[in-house]
Amino acid sequence: MTWKCCIVIFLVLFFLASPVRVLGSTEKSELSPEQAALAKKLGVNPNPLIPQFRYRSVADQTWLSPWVVEGTVERIDEDLYGPYHTKVRVKALRYLKGAGPHEITLNVLDGRFYSEYDKKIMRVDTVGSLTFSSGDVDGRFILFLDKHALSPRGRETHYEHGEGEFRTANRYRVVDDHAEPDPGIAEAGSPGAKRYSYQEIVAEILRVAVPQSQISKGTP
Amino acid sequence: MKPFGKAVLLAIAIVLAPGLDWSFVTRTPPRTWHYPSAFFYISTFIPPEFEPAIDEAATTWNAAGAAWFFTPASFAIDAQYGVRDGLSVIDYTTPSDPTIPGETSVFTSGDDAEIVEVDTALNPSLPLSTGFDPNSYDVQSVSTHELGHWLELLHSQNPGDVMFERIDKGQIKRDLSSDDIEGIQFLYPPAVETVKRVAGKPVTR
């Protein structure tokens, strides 16, 4: 009887502990041996979380982004009632990685919104977040995109991105045949702060995106 | 001092600020809280061992000699990061940028003049600890940085500042630098020092 109790307690503890281990392991990426070998060959760090995305090299950013798009910002709309308060409408000139529609929307949480709590228009800003302003309209950008959504507990479905909608993980503005890093990255020494020639950044993106797509058919 | 007088002095100080050797960063003009104090709630999802570190981070700002005070409230079950719910909370949830250890959202009045609520997310997807673990982000250091955003301090470019834009695993930055202190004292000047500041003289600490 005692042994049976011990076994039951062990099994209960084991299953209780399992989710903790899974949560704790989210920092580590799960790559196939082929993907890991390619990452090593290309010289990229495949860990999705460390270091912070916008400070990483373009090669790392490309590896980690399902979509890399070159496009022009056509207009910026505000959405007072939706979960994303700023909608950046972009005409995709070409997908350097992944595939998608020509007209896409970049969802930004920041902006003015109607607050049910206050019963009036309020504003929210996330410190250090990547935002677009009227000065970006007509600007040409290289955009590193994903579908990550802020998911407050119990509201998971509320913040999902729709068809043709993305989150901008980082951007470079193309000016006079150069790709300028986002001005929000002030740490001069970080790889993410590097300024590229247009040809150089496109070549770097394709250097990673093309072989990566060849070993991961079926995923963007 | 009347609010109008404070606003005028603040505006003059902002004009003088570029000529001074400060590296803290804020908006021009900065938004301010209606009262020089904020209640902060700790989400029940925050691991209990993090709570003393968060309280200590608030105490650090409270001791900076500015007319500002963080007031610990209580645990808030319903308060959520990024949701305007009337409760300024430190939550334990993945931020909008999942690759950073902490993130802060600021809710303001529609004219963007007055701060009404601030929420911070500590990122459970990244390793956080309260010890001196070289493989984790230090909770107190991250919390001190994020609470600086509650005060309207933005990212500094001086790596020695708590408000520097980036922190690495294992890095400990629990104490305010002189720039951090200048920042909070600029935004929430001790009343007796306001005139000195406007005159561009060094602040007595």
Side-chain angles (χ1 to χ4, degrees), chain B residues 53-99:
Chain B
I54 295 169
D55 286 339
E56 197 58 41
T59 302
T60 299
W61 285 109
N62 288 347
W68 171 265
F69 204 78
F70 279 112
T71 307
S74 60
F75 300 106
I77 296 171
D78 297 329
Q80 291 185 333
Y81 173 71
V83 177
R84 168 64 177 147
D85 51 21
L87 300 175
S88 292
V89 68
I90 297 176
D91 202 352
Y92 198 50
T93 188
T94 306
S96 60
D97 180 348
T99 68

Side-chain angles (χ1 to χ4, degrees), chain A residues 14-90:
Chain A
F14 177 81
F15 284 113
L16 281 175
S18 295
V20 176
R21 287 206 303 273
V22 171
L23 287 172
S25 67
T26 52
E27 185 193 340
K28 295 173 183 172
S29 58
E30 293 174 4
L31 299 178
S32 68
E34 196 179 12
Q35 288 172 318
L38 179 61
K40 191 175 179 183
K41 181 182 170 189
L42 295 172
V44 301
N45 175 358
N47 185 330
L49 296 176
I50 297 175
Q52 297 162 25
F53 186 90
R54 297 178 70 202
Y55 297 92
R56 304 176 71 143
S57 68
V58 161
D60 280 10
Q61 292 181 44
T62 303
W63 177 274
L64 297 167
S65 297
W67 297 270
V68 183
V69 172
E70 182 180 351
T72 305
V73 173
E74 295 191 310
R75 68 177 198 279
I76 299 173
D77 299 328
E78 69 178 7
D79 184 352
L80 297 176
Y81 302 99
Y84 294 97
H85 308 313
T86 302
K87 301 274 187 174
V88 183
R89 315 294 182 184
V90 172

Side-chain angles (χ1 to χ4, degrees), chain A residues 83-86 107-112 124 126 150 159, chain B residues 96 103:
Chain A
Y84 294 97
H85 308 313
T86 302
N107 286 327
V108 181
L109 285 161
D110 295 6
R112 296 195 320 145
V124 63
T126 304
L150 183 64
Y159 283 84
Chain B
S96 60
E103 185 178 84

Side-chain angles (χ1 to χ4, degrees), chain B residues 98-169:
Chain B
T99 68
I100 57 177
E103 185 178 84
T104 293
S105 284
V106 182
F107 293 89
T108 55
S109 50
D111 59 3
D112 205 24
E114 188 173 281
I115 299 171
V116 296
E117 178 182 334
V118 182
D119 295 337
T120 285
L122 298 181
N123 190 348
S125 301
L126 292 176
L128 291 163
S129 77
T130 54
F132 295 88
D133 178 4
N135 297 313
S136 300
Y137 292 99
D138 179 55
V139 171
Q140 188 174 328
S141 300
V142 173
S143 299
T144 307
H145 174 95
E146 297 304 327
L147 287 178
H149 291 321
W150 289 43
L151 303 164
E152 197 69 338
L153 288 173
L154 301 177
H155 287 150
S156 148
Q157 296 181 31
N158 178 2
D161 296 343
V162 159
M163 296 313 298
F164 184 58
E165 60 185 343
R166 215 159 71 84
I167 188 167
D168 292 319
K169 286 194 290 184

